[in-house]
Amino acid sequence: MKTPLVRVRLVSFPLDADARQGRFGHARPCPGHEGLRGLATGEWAGRTLDEVAGRDPAAVRAWLSDAAYAPPGGESVDALIARVGAELAGLAEGAHRLVVEQAVVRAAVVHALELPAAAFWRLDVRPESVTTLTGRSGRWNLLIGQRQDEQQPG
């Protein structure tokens, strides 16, 4: 008997005005998938990395080097990876197209490939790009290198 297959196409949001200015986001939702909302940056939301680092450089260093560190009122990278992983594990069989923040794509790849949390900061996700994960029996694969003529609309 064949086990159910889940295919997830994660589409990253286009850059908005705040992102173009390098401002922390406000944990944008993914309708119907609460676990795939963006990273909660707490008191840092709406500020630039330079602004936060100017006020509290130790906090920024901790956030970038310790996956368990959470910004004041926010969540850690570890918590994001766990939340995204739980949402992926609960997806129904079939194909899903989900529009999410870049941090969610990073967390999904780290979870799916069982990478160390430190890899989160080493993954770059282009705006409006598609990352595809396929899963079966609790095991995920990452599809990379898809030919342009194989891209499906939407």
Side-chain angles (χ1 to χ4, degrees):
M1 182 164 128
K2 195 172 185 180
T3 57
L5 176 68
V6 177
R7 179 177 300 272
V8 183
R9 297 184 74 206
L10 299 169
V11 181
S12 58
F13 284 114
L15 287 181
D16 60 16
D18 281 343
R20 283 190 185 93
Q21 295 172 0
R23 298 191 180 282
F24 286 101
H26 295 275
R28 288 168 77 170
C30 178
H33 298 279
E34 174 60 22
L36 298 180
R37 73 183 178 285
L39 177 66
T41 55
E43 294 175 13
W44 296 358
R47 296 194 215 165
T48 67
L49 183 61
D50 288 342
E51 290 169 345
V52 174
R55 290 186 179 149
D56 195 350
V60 171
R61 277 193 303 276
W63 185 60
L64 294 172
S65 63
D66 179 1
Y69 178 85
E75 73 181 317
S76 68
V77 168
D78 279 344
L80 174 67
I81 293 168
R83 174 168 53 82
V84 169
E87 187 75 25
L88 290 175
L91 289 174
E93 176 182 4
H96 303 269
R97 181 187 182 277
L98 305 167
V99 181
V100 297
E101 287 188 5
Q102 293 167 323
V104 172
V105 176
R106 289 177 178 165
V109 170
V110 168
H111 168 78
L113 300 182
E114 301 175 4
L115 300 172
F120 177 88
W121 296 113
R122 305 296 303 269
L123 298 171
D124 292 329
V125 179
R126 291 180 186 259
E128 301 181 83
S129 65
V130 178
T131 301
T132 303
L133 298 171
T134 56
R136 181 178 285 157
S137 299
R139 179 174 164 243
W140 290 97
N141 293 323
L142 171 65
L143 174 63
I144 55 176
Q146 189 173 11
R147 293 178 11 190
Q148 287 187 23
D149 61 352
E150 292 174 342
Q151 287 287 325
Q152 297 172 356

